[in-house]
Amino acid sequence: QVQLVESGGGLVQPGGSLRLSCVTSRSIFSFNVMGWYRQGSGKERESVATFASGGTTNYADSVKGRFTISRDSAKNTVYLQMNSLKPEDTAVYYCNAKILVPYYGNYWGQGTQVTVSS
């Protein structure tokens, strides 16, 4: 059983910063891909930032230069540092982990709300 637990969401003013954390129930090296997704009200869930076990990172165009994904393997934790936040960043943010080989597994956290508003 894989568990992902997010924390760090909240209310922040435009231009502010937040850091989201995702703690996994097993070593992050167990996963082939890890990342953050978000879903705004009335919108589809979208990828925000991901990294693959080979070291490749990808960011949505809308967050490039403002968000940074990182990890601490000793703590089994993945982070999303969000700077220069905008109202359009308001969403529920979800941590995701995927196993691609030798079997497929796709795991989600419960989500954490981020609200950017003055």
Side-chain angles (χ1 to χ4, degrees):
Q1 183 76 8
V2 175
Q3 292 185 322
L4 307 175
V5 180
E6 303 102 331
S7 62
L11 173 64
V12 63
Q13 292 186 342
S17 297
L18 282 176
R19 188 177 77 159
L20 305 183
S21 299
C22 171
V23 180
T24 68
S25 59
R26 63 169 71 169
S27 169
I28 62 174
F29 296 119
S30 300
F31 307 107
N32 298 108
V33 183
M34 293 198 70
W36 291 91
Y37 289 69
R38 68 185 181 187
Q39 188 167 16
S41 180
K43 299 180 180 179
E44 293 187 355
R45 192 172 297 189
E46 62 176 354
S47 175
V48 176
T50 61
F51 67 78
S53 56
T56 303
T57 58
N58 285 288
Y59 293 93
D61 288 342
S62 59
V63 307
K64 283 181 181 177
R66 300 189 298 122
F67 290 12
T68 303
I69 188 170
S70 63
R71 59 187 173 178
D72 185 336
S73 57
K75 296 181 179 180
N76 290 341
T77 301
V78 176
Y79 302 100
L80 184 67
Q81 178 67 43
M82 305 186 293
N83 299 327
S84 302
L85 282 161
K86 304 175 181 180
E88 49 264 44
D89 295 318
T90 295
V92 178
Y93 284 71
Y94 297 90
C95 181
N96 175 261
K98 291 185 177 64
I99 297 173
L100 304 178
V101 291
Y103 62 91
Y104 181 76
N106 190 25
Y107 309 99
W108 294 94
Q110 82 286 354
T112 185
Q113 176 71 46
V114 172
T115 302
V116 184
S117 175
S118 55

